[in-house]
Amino acid sequence: MLFAIICTDKPGSLETRKATRERHLAYLEQHRPHLVHGGPLLDAENRPCGSLLVADMPDRAAAEGFAAQDPYAQVGLFESVVIRPFRSVFRDGLRVE
């Protein structure tokens, strides 16, 4: 099942994000088979201010565990994390539904 994981950084936390980025990317590499799409959300000046991941997980508990173990979450980068089931209709420009 697909889940959208939408994370919003705490204000003024760009340096924390930068310092943790390599551990975050290594964590995502370990979970590559589950990742459908992902990347940073950007503010008006094109600076990272959050994250969006779409992950294929067996259930909500697995999605929550995946999000909680992310190094960004571990260092307290996020002000909020929203996890919602997601149904893909278009992927890579093609209708998949």
Side-chain angles (χ1 to χ4, degrees):
M1 176 174 214
L2 295 179
F3 290 89
I5 303 170
I6 306 151
C7 308
T8 301
D9 293 359
K10 292 177 181 173
S13 61
L14 183 57
E15 292 306 314
T16 300
R17 175 178 276 277
K18 288 179 179 178
T20 313
R21 185 172 187 266
E22 289 306 316
R23 286 189 299 153
H24 165 74
L25 293 175
Y27 177 75
L28 295 182
E29 285 287 341
Q30 292 173 356
H31 293 86
R32 185 186 290 215
H34 298 284
L35 297 178
V36 175
H37 196 80
L41 299 171
L42 304 176
D43 66 14
E45 286 79 39
N46 288 325
R47 293 178 304 217
C49 63
S51 298
L52 170 65
L53 297 168
V54 177
D56 190 355
M57 297 287 170
D59 53 36
R60 183 177 184 84
E64 290 172 351
F66 168 72
Q69 294 302 310
D70 185 321
Y72 281 166
Q74 296 284 302
V75 298
L77 175 65
F78 301 131
E79 177 178 73
S80 67
V81 176
V82 175
I83 300 172
R84 296 197 186 275
F86 178 78
R87 182 173 47 92
S88 186
V89 176
F90 286 90
R91 185 179 297 172
D92 297 325
L94 301 174
R95 189 166 177 174
V96 296
E97 175 184 60

